[in-house]
Amino acid sequence: MDPRIREHAEVIVDHSTGIESGENVVIQLPPEAEDLAVALHELCGDRGANPIWVSNSDRASRAFKRATDSFDEPSHELAFFEETDAFIIARGGANVTEGADVDPETNAAYNRARRDIKEERLSKTWCLTQAPTSGHAQLAGMSTEAYENFVYDAVSLDWDAQREFQAQLVEILDDAEEIRIRSGEETDVRMSIAGNTALNDYGEANLPGGEVFTAPVRESVDGEVYFDLPLYRYGREIEGVRLRFDDGQVVSHSAERNEDLLASILDTDDGSRYLGELGIGMNRQIDRFTYNMLFDEKMGDTVHMAVGSAYEDCVGEGNERNESAEHVDMIVDMSEDSVIEVDGEVVQRNGTFVFEDGF
């Protein structure tokens, strides 16, 4: 076994989830990540936890969705996660476009039926990470070896140092009222974060981490955003997304590629046209775009916004939490002709923060 796999598992168990004796641990990995499953089981055994490996097969999921368009909540799966203390999931299927021929409306219906399961999982200790498989290497335009190096370098960061670096931005946002983001000629959007909490993501729920994120006040978002970096969703690439917000809601939208998929996401439910998250990427170890949102949203010199559900821990008492079966992140490159303003003061210019040299 590659010793880096063992190191990856140790970061997951000890840093990201803090698994303890007696805990019930669900490990959901693709078949291609069996070595990581083995390492995680060894570590759970060392710590007295109770692991179970559930294989997540993109082929099996596609087969089920194409066989039916009528979905009920799987109550047995909900009960399974109700008995779970910690949930570990890794991306890494052999074919990243496996679900490309599933109808967007079917995906939306599937997500609606599983909304309570998603909420139950998110209420537990959880970690989403990446197994460096050849499918994702191909998507990133890298050799398998180069992609393995990229992934393992990103997950084995000095997370204490990263936490301290990001804490400087958290401090700025702690008492903030309004954020304005401007980039080029097509992005100018304002939102209130008054009363909400900015969280420091340093490799816990997401591994790799490397962002500071919060939730906008639900009906405060106004303006236009051009997401100039693409995203993969359900095995299809959505490119050149433009959204216009009025009183928090997406009132017009377009995409240069796969606009039908974007429309189906926005039409999933009442909450899917509102922003649930604003995140600011701060991980400079992630220095290239790989078509993998787990990494891409953490890149330095970027911001991302997610339509759909807001994380409960970000929403302050008295503010409404946006709820949805969807949570879809989209990215704006902030490296040129861009600023982030907090209560009228510029805190980032062309990717450089006010607390960094060169600002």
Side-chain angles (χ1 to χ4, degrees):
M1 181 185 296
D2 187 328
R4 296 175 299 179
I5 296 175
R6 174 78 181 195
E7 182 180 0
H8 188 183
E10 288 172 347
V11 174
I12 293 169
V13 169
D14 295 328
H15 172 74
S16 300
T17 58
I19 289 172
E20 297 179 350
S21 179
E23 290 189 324
N24 294 327
V25 182
V26 173
I27 298 168
Q28 185 171 324
L29 307 181
E32 294 82 1
E34 184 177 11
D35 280 353
L36 180 58
V38 170
L40 287 169
H41 276 68
E42 288 177 344
L43 292 170
C44 284
D46 288 344
R47 286 148 183 77
N50 307 308
I52 184 171
W53 178 17
V54 180
S55 179
N56 55 322
S57 165
D58 293 333
R59 287 184 63 201
S61 178
R62 169 189 175 272
F64 176 58
K65 292 176 182 178
R66 285 174 59 86
T68 181
D69 57 4
S70 177
F71 302 100
D72 297 319
E73 179 184 82
S75 57
H76 63 302
E77 187 175 356
L78 177 60
F80 179 64
F81 283 108
E82 287 174 345
E83 295 299 321
T84 297
D85 298 304
F87 175 57
I88 298 165
I89 181 171
R91 295 173 176 171
N95 181 0
V96 296
T97 61
E98 189 66 60
D101 54 359
V102 176
D103 185 82
E105 293 299 325
T106 300
N107 281 317
Y110 178 81
N111 286 336
R112 284 194 295 269
R114 298 171 58 83
R115 180 169 164 175
D116 288 346
I117 294 171
K118 174 185 173 183
E119 292 295 317
E120 185 65 30
R121 286 203 320 257
L122 290 175
S123 73
K124 306 301 174 73
T125 299
W126 60 275
C127 175
L128 168 64
T129 191
Q130 176 72 40
T133 53
S134 56
H136 277 85
Q138 186 175 30
L139 184 64
M142 303 169 71
S143 68
T144 302
E145 181 182 6
Y147 188 64
E148 288 172 348
N149 293 337
F150 170 79
V151 169
Y152 291 132
D153 286 348
V155 301
S156 61
L157 207 61
D158 182 339
W159 292 115
D160 289 336
Q162 188 69 25
R163 181 188 65 236
E164 293 176 7
F165 171 60
Q166 294 174 182
Q168 298 171 93
L169 180 59
V170 173
E171 185 176 357
I172 291 172
L173 298 181
D174 270 345
D175 297 316
E177 297 285 327
E178 183 184 76
I179 296 178
R180 182 183 183 187
I181 296 168
R182 294 184 285 126
S183 181
E185 298 181 357
E186 295 191 76
T187 294
D188 189 349
V189 63
R190 298 173 183 265
M191 62 193 73
S192 171
I193 60 168
N196 284 350
T197 301
L199 298 182
N200 189 340
D201 169 20
Y202 51 95
E204 294 183 305
N206 281 186
L207 183 65
E211 65 170 301
V212 170
F213 65 100
T214 187
V217 174
R218 188 174 188 267
E219 297 179 353
S220 71
V221 185
D222 280 294
E224 299 183 356
V225 185
Y226 173 54
F227 297 98
D228 47 1
L229 294 178
L231 68 144
Y232 253 79
R233 192 71 173 177
Y234 304 121
R236 297 167 64 190
E237 182 181 13
I238 307 176
E239 190 172 7
V241 173
R242 290 173 171 84
L243 301 180
R244 184 164 68 86
F245 295 88
D246 187 12
D247 293 333
Q249 190 173 32
V250 175
V251 294
S252 67
H253 66 272
S254 66
E256 295 162 11
R257 185 178 184 188
N258 284 323
E259 186 173 343
D260 64 325
L261 179 55
L262 174 66
S264 74
I265 290 169
L266 296 173
D267 289 338
T268 297
D269 50 39
D270 291 342
S272 54
R273 284 183 175 264
Y274 290 86
L275 279 190
E277 179 191 1
L278 168 68
I280 301 171
M282 300 183 71
N283 187 340
R284 298 228 165 87
Q285 184 67 42
I286 301 172
D287 58 1
R288 62 180 293 166
F289 183 77
T290 61
Y291 288 93
N292 183 340
M293 194 59 69
L294 180 62
F295 290 78
D296 297 339
E297 69 175 6
K298 314 299 191 328
M299 284 192 300
D301 308 348
T302 66
V303 301
H304 58 276
M305 304 173 205
V307 293
S309 59
Y311 295 111
E312 188 172 359
D313 290 346
C314 290
V315 181
E317 186 176 352
N319 284 343
E320 180 181 2
R321 178 191 173 207
N322 192 49
E323 297 185 42
S324 173
E326 284 286 11
H327 181 96
V328 180
D329 295 286
M330 294 173 274
I331 302 174
V332 181
D333 182 354
M334 299 290 289
S335 62
E336 296 181 1
D337 193 22
S338 302
V339 297
I340 300 175
E341 298 177 9
V342 176
D343 294 334
E345 298 291 329
V346 175
V347 301
Q348 188 197 72
R349 182 183 295 110
N350 299 333
T352 303
F353 290 101
V354 66
F355 44 81
E356 292 185 289
D357 293 338
F359 179 81

